[in-house]
Every structure is written in structure tokens, then in C-alpha cells.
């Protein structure tokens, strides 16, 4: 689902632009993604992201990410959601007919 097709924007709080500005300032404008080395990404941030997906807009749940790392994180979350949805469609195995437990 694209941002244009989403209802996400309507669920953002009225002070969202202020929260975004605070998130960017707290990050010093730099991406907060941690590289495998443990260091922060050196790129300039571009997007305010929810660490834990959903509607918790508390500043402790927000992070400032560059476009590349925001896309990576969103892709991972999308795959996880798709896997979870697919798992719900799977029927549990039925017991063998005539088997006594």
C-alpha cells in the first residue's frame, strides 16, 4: 500500500510537524540507523520513523532516518506483516481419521 492509498496521514496527531522537527533536532539532522559496526549512519536524515509500527507517536518511539534506511526498515516490516497474514490463512493440521489419542 502506498502512502497515497493509506489512512495513516489522518491518524497522525495535529502536532505531528512539531514532533518531526523535535525528532530531527534530537538526531542532529543525521540518520540514527545503526550500522553492523555499531556506528551511526553518516547520511543526513530525511524521514521521521516510528521505531515500533503503529500509532504511538511518543517521542521515545520516533527516530530520524535517511531515505535509504527508512525504505529498508519499511520493507522489512512489510515482509513481516505479509508473513504474519499468510500464517493466519494456514489451516492447522487435521488429526488422522481413526487415530485414538
Amino acid at each position: 500500500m502506498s502512502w497515497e492509498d493509506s489512512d495513516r496521514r489522518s491518524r497522525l496527531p495535529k502536532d505531528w510537524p512539531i514532533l518531526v522537527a523535535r525528532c530531527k533536532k534530537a538526531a542532529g539532522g543525521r540518520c540514527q540507523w545503526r550500522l553492523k559496526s555499531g556506528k551511526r549512519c553518516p547520511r543526513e536524515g530525511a524521514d521521521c520513523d516510528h521505531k515500533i509500527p503503529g500509532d504511538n507517536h511518543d517521542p521515545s518511539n520516533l527516530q530520524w532516518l535517511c531515505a535509504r534506511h527508512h525504505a529498508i526498515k519499511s520493507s522489512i516490516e512489510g515482509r513481516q506483516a505479509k508473513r504474519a497474514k499468510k500464517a493466519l490463512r494456514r489451516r492447522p493440521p487435521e488429526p488422522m481419521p481413526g487415530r485414538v489419542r
Side-chain angles (χ1 to χ4, degrees):
M1 176 182 293
S2 69
W3 181 253
E4 290 79 24
D5 300 332
S6 172
D7 69 338
R8 183 93 172 116
R9 190 172 306 216
S10 66
R11 296 189 337 251
L12 293 173
K14 294 192 184 307
D15 66 342
W16 181 245
I18 294 167
L19 293 172
V20 170
R22 287 181 186 161
C23 181
K24 180 179 180 179
K25 184 177 180 180
R30 213 173 103 216
C31 180
Q32 293 178 298
W33 186 272
R34 291 286 171 180
L35 303 172
K36 289 180 184 178
S37 66
K39 294 180 182 179
R40 272 178 64 180
C41 171
R43 292 184 184 94
E44 185 177 332
D47 299 307
C48 186
D49 174 69
H50 291 79
K51 294 175 187 176
I52 299 170
D55 290 333
N56 176 2
H57 309 298
D58 188 78
S60 66
N61 190 42
L62 301 177
Q63 62 184 344
W64 194 246
L65 298 177
C66 66
R68 178 175 185 257
H69 286 124
H70 191 224
I72 289 170
K73 182 177 177 285
S74 295
S75 179
I76 290 167
E77 290 169 352
R79 282 194 304 274
Q80 289 171 341
K82 189 175 181 179
R83 243 183 263 126
K85 191 174 180 181
K86 187 176 180 180
L88 291 175
R89 291 193 310 251
R90 236 179 262 135
R91 290 177 57 181
E94 295 181 23
M96 295 292 289
R99 184 175 177 186
V100 180
R101 291 189 181 219

